[in-house]
Amino acid sequence: METWKTLPESWYVPCLASLETLQELCRKENLRCKSIGITNRNLKSYEVEYLCDYKVDEGTEYYLVKWKGWPESSNTWEPLKNLKCPLLLQNFLSDKNEYLSRVKEGKALKVKNHVKALKPAVADYIVKKAKQRIALQRWKEELNRKKNHKGMILVENTVDLEGPPLDFYYINEYKPAPGINVINGITTGCECSDCPAEKCCPKEAGFLLAYNKRKKLKIQPGLPIYECNSYCRCGPDCPNRIVQKGTPYSLCIFRTNNGRGWGVKTLQKIKTNSFVMEYVGEVITSEEAERRGQLYDNQGNTYLFDLDYDSDEFTVDAARYGNVSHFVNHSCDPNLQVFNVFIDNLDLRLPRIALFSTRTIKAGEELTFDYQMKGSIDLTSDSADGLSPSRKRIRTVCKCGAVCCRGYLN
């Protein structure tokens, strides 16, 4: 006897294609779709998305135009006089000159301003830069839609053709693995009407208030931060609510020019002892972290952060899930310091990780922290030999460039 399952009336499958790709398909097939913005009114509308190529024909300058929402098969050559897109023209010329000015075999290529046609390699590079620019803009918009903090996130790549990471998902708080509870242990809060008072959260935990009147950090590294929680009587303006409000600064994810991949720089001046950002990712067991660590080391990546304030049971993995901190690079002479924070979870095994400035940081300066935080395993050549085979890992060369550089990330 056959057994039949009752299937749901409707199946919903997430679409991985971009809006522009769907619009291109609609226009190619002459279809209307109001949900993606293709109607009778704009089905045949044309807007320049980017410029692909250049030529001079009988004294007239032409540009090959990629039309927004149309497939590349619809690209057309248009005379310069018909183009009303000064920014795209500027990008085209800038990308062309950038390519032609690159150093090749120790000699700079001479830029020729009067050419009748571009070489295929030049046009190919210009198209790749245009597509990259669009992809990075979309990524920036996505990051700013998902963030829940005050500061803006910008994205910049003036170094190479690398686009947004393909397997990275922005989150604002810990993503616990199955069986791990990161919201646990809080049932009451302080009764202060004006924090801090005698029975404010830090004092109840047996520690000092972490912040001064200017809301700057006043405790030494290694000491925990206990902030007021969701059960506390005090309001959102409480001076003991800093980390939970999120990053207050506008930051830029940028491509480094010395082989360190992406990095993060501040767009605003940051004063000493200021909260800058939180380190978030997947919360996994130490056993799972050991397994992933072997894989990451083979890839030359470092995203695992042990939660070892009280024990060594859990690790934060920011490889696939994380926030801006995913892109912060290591330095042996960093300008950020790590602190353990407890807010709505008093489980000492699961602190939140906050990064505070160790000195004044100028606008435009890269943000860094030391991946080998105090209390981590010392993987010098001598100590590494004493580890069991399961703990031995491929050593990653450090490129921080600091005078006191230790030479390796792990």
Side-chain angles (χ1 to χ4, degrees):
M1 181 178 178
E2 293 185 356
T3 302
W4 294 88
K5 286 186 177 180
T6 302
L7 297 176
E9 294 182 2
S10 301
W11 287 83
Y12 296 93
V13 179
C15 181
L16 300 180
S18 67
L19 176 63
E20 286 73 16
T21 299
L22 295 175
Q23 290 176 339
E24 290 175 7
L25 290 172
C26 280
R27 287 196 167 103
K28 185 176 181 180
E29 300 298 331
N30 200 33
L31 299 174
R32 285 82 171 160
C33 182
K34 188 180 293 185
S35 62
I36 61 172
I38 301 298
T39 62
N40 286 327
R41 176 177 294 183
N42 65 11
L43 179 64
K44 298 297 182 181
S45 66
Y46 291 87
E47 177 186 348
V48 179
E49 185 172 20
Y50 56 85
L51 303 174
C52 309
D53 205 347
Y54 169 86
K55 68 179 181 180
V56 177
D57 189 7
E58 296 183 356
T60 301
E61 294 182 280
Y62 290 88
Y63 286 87
L64 184 61
V65 175
K66 166 63 172 68
W67 301 104
K68 188 174 183 179
W70 289 86
E72 292 183 3
S73 58
S74 300
N75 291 0
T76 58
W77 287 98
E78 300 294 332
L80 174 60
K81 64 180 182 180
N82 290 354
L83 299 177
K84 310 298 180 184
C85 49
L87 180 59
L88 296 181
L89 283 165
Q90 181 181 329
N91 289 340
F92 182 93
L93 295 174
S94 175
D95 294 340
K96 181 195 75 171
N97 290 336
E98 177 185 318
Y99 180 86
L100 294 175
S101 299
R102 290 195 168 197
V103 176
K104 186 176 182 181
E105 296 179 352
K107 295 182 180 180
L109 295 174
K110 187 177 180 181
V111 177
K112 297 180 180 179
N113 294 321
H114 303 289
V115 294
K116 290 190 175 182
L118 295 181
K119 292 182 178 180
V122 180
D124 180 63
Y125 176 81
I126 290 172
V127 170
K128 287 179 179 177
K129 283 296 291 184
K131 290 181 177 179
Q132 178 202 52
R133 194 174 285 114
I134 292 170
L136 292 179
Q137 175 64 24
R138 289 175 185 164
W139 186 37
K140 185 193 81 170
E141 293 170 356
E142 177 189 351
L143 295 176
N144 284 284
R145 280 196 307 270
K146 291 183 176 180
K147 72 173 180 63
N148 64 357
H149 55 78
K150 180 181 177 181
M152 294 295 293
I153 303 174
L154 275 66
V155 179
E156 175 186 287
N157 185 352
T158 60
V159 175
D160 54 31
L161 293 171
E162 187 73 16
L166 299 177
D167 194 25
F168 174 74
Y169 306 92
Y170 193 94
I171 57 176
N172 293 293
E173 56 190 20
Y174 283 162
K175 178 182 174 62
I180 300 176
N181 184 12
V182 296
I183 304 296
N184 182 36
I186 287 287
T187 56
T188 59
C190 70
E191 295 294 326
C192 310
S193 57
D194 186 18
C195 296
E198 283 300 318
K199 290 187 178 290
C200 197
C201 296
K203 294 183 179 180
E204 286 290 285
F207 295 94
L208 296 173
L209 179 72
Y211 311 113
N212 61 25
K213 293 181 179 179
R214 301 189 309 276
K215 298 183 179 181
K216 304 302 180 186
L217 198 67
K218 67 177 185 180
I219 62 173
Q220 295 299 312
L223 292 176
I225 297 173
Y226 281 84
E227 291 196 357
C228 291
N229 61 65
S230 55
Y231 283 89
C232 292
R233 182 180 175 185
C234 54
D237 295 328
C238 168
N240 194 34
R241 296 181 185 272
I242 302 297
V243 173
Q244 59 195 267
K245 289 184 178 180
T247 302
Y249 305 102
S250 291
L251 306 173
C252 178
I253 301 170
F254 74 103
R255 195 72 176 169
T256 63
N257 60 6
N258 62 350
R260 292 179 298 126
W262 295 100
V264 178
K265 60 184 176 182
T266 176
L267 300 176
Q268 301 170 249
K269 178 182 176 181
I270 300 176
K271 294 182 179 180
T272 307
N273 296 326
S274 299
F275 169 64
V276 179
M277 70 180 75
E278 196 171 348
Y279 193 91
V280 302
E282 290 182 89
V283 179
I284 58 177
T285 63
S286 295
E287 292 77 12
E288 174 63 12
E290 181 66 27
R291 187 190 69 80
R292 295 187 187 187
Q294 297 287 347
L295 175 63
Y296 295 159
D297 286 344
N298 290 332
Q299 298 171 344
N301 296 327
T302 308
Y303 295 109
L304 297 174
F305 199 116
D306 292 336
L307 299 178
D308 53 4
Y309 170 72
D310 182 67
S311 63
D312 195 17
E313 294 183 45
F314 302 108
T315 296
V316 177
D317 181 4
R320 295 188 67 212
Y321 297 90
N323 60 4
V324 177
S325 65
H326 166 97
F327 303 97
V328 175
N329 279 314
H330 161 84
S331 175
C332 297
D333 184 22
N335 50 26
L336 300 179
Q337 172 70 45
V338 171
F339 282 82
N340 295 285
V341 184
F342 299 93
I343 306 175
D344 279 320
N345 187 352
L346 296 182
D347 188 338
L348 297 181
R349 302 171 304 165
L350 292 165
R352 290 164 67 165
I353 303 300
L355 299 172
F356 286 79
S357 59
T358 59
R359 57 175 174 79
T360 299
I361 305 174
K362 299 177 182 178
E365 187 175 346
E366 183 175 2
L367 302 174
T368 58
F369 72 94
D370 189 347
Y371 288 3
Q372 290 189 41
M373 299 312 302
K374 195 172 183 179
S376 62
I377 295 177
D378 179 18
L379 287 179
T380 60
S381 57
D382 292 333
S383 62
D385 289 339
L387 295 174
S388 65
S390 63
R391 295 293 293 175
K392 288 185 179 180
R393 289 182 175 173
I394 298 172
R395 305 198 71 187
T396 304
V397 175
C398 179
K399 300 177 182 178
C400 74
V403 175
C404 58
C405 181
R406 295 186 295 265
Y408 294 93
L409 293 182
N410 53 1

